Amino acid sequence: EVQLVESGGGLVQTGGSLRLSCAASGLTDDHYAIGWFRQIPGKVREGISFISTNDGSTYYAEFVKGRCSISFDNAKNTAYLQMDSLEAWDNAVFYCAATRPPFRLNLAPVEYDYDIWGRGIQVTVSS
């Protein structure tokens, strides 16, 4: 059974940076896409980016491209989301999620496509 645990959130100042981690346990030799999502209070959950654990293929939503970077450490089975300029990300819960192949490469992650979810982690940007 695959389980995902997010970490690295917290309180940051406007314009600051955070690196979120998504530690995956129970991964088999199967390949996965790991996606990052955010949910701002009162808004729908939005796909930010995904990365393939097989070949490192990535895709970013247009609204975050240039302000975040996704990566995956094969040895640690951990995905990361480096976020900069966090002013636009205030008071959001960030989730990581995973899905097995096949998956589409030329799309930002869509919630419907992911069936394994972490519980989310809060990121708050100081006002």
Side-chain angles (χ1 to χ4, degrees):
E1 180 181 359
V2 178
Q3 294 183 336
L4 306 175
V5 180
E6 301 95 338
S7 62
L11 178 66
V12 299
Q13 65 182 21
T14 56
S17 299
L18 281 177
R19 188 178 70 166
L20 303 180
S21 299
C22 176
S25 62
L27 294 179
T28 68
D29 291 334
D30 292 334
H31 302 141
Y32 296 83
I34 299 179
W36 283 99
F37 299 78
R38 75 173 182 183
Q39 187 166 21
I40 299 170
K43 297 185 178 181
V44 299
R45 191 173 297 174
E46 303 169 292
I48 299 170
S49 179
F50 81 87
I51 187 166
S52 169
T53 64
N54 179 32
D55 60 7
S57 299
T58 62
Y59 200 91
Y60 295 88
E62 287 295 326
F63 76 98
V64 296
K65 188 177 295 185
R67 295 186 290 112
C68 69
S69 179
I70 193 170
S71 61
F72 184 78
D73 187 325
N74 289 292
K76 297 181 179 180
N77 285 327
T78 299
Y80 302 93
L81 183 68
Q82 176 71 40
M83 300 186 294
D84 303 310
S85 302
L86 283 172
E87 186 176 6
W89 301 57
D90 191 17
N91 294 317
V93 177
F94 287 77
Y95 299 86
C96 65
T99 189
R100 296 176 176 84
F103 47 81
R104 293 164 290 181
L105 296 177
N106 296 321
L107 292 172
V110 178
E111 183 176 7
Y112 175 83
D113 291 339
Y114 289 77
D115 57 354
I116 305 169
W117 288 84
R119 296 189 65 179
I121 189 166
Q122 179 72 48
V123 172
T124 301
V125 181
S126 62
S127 60

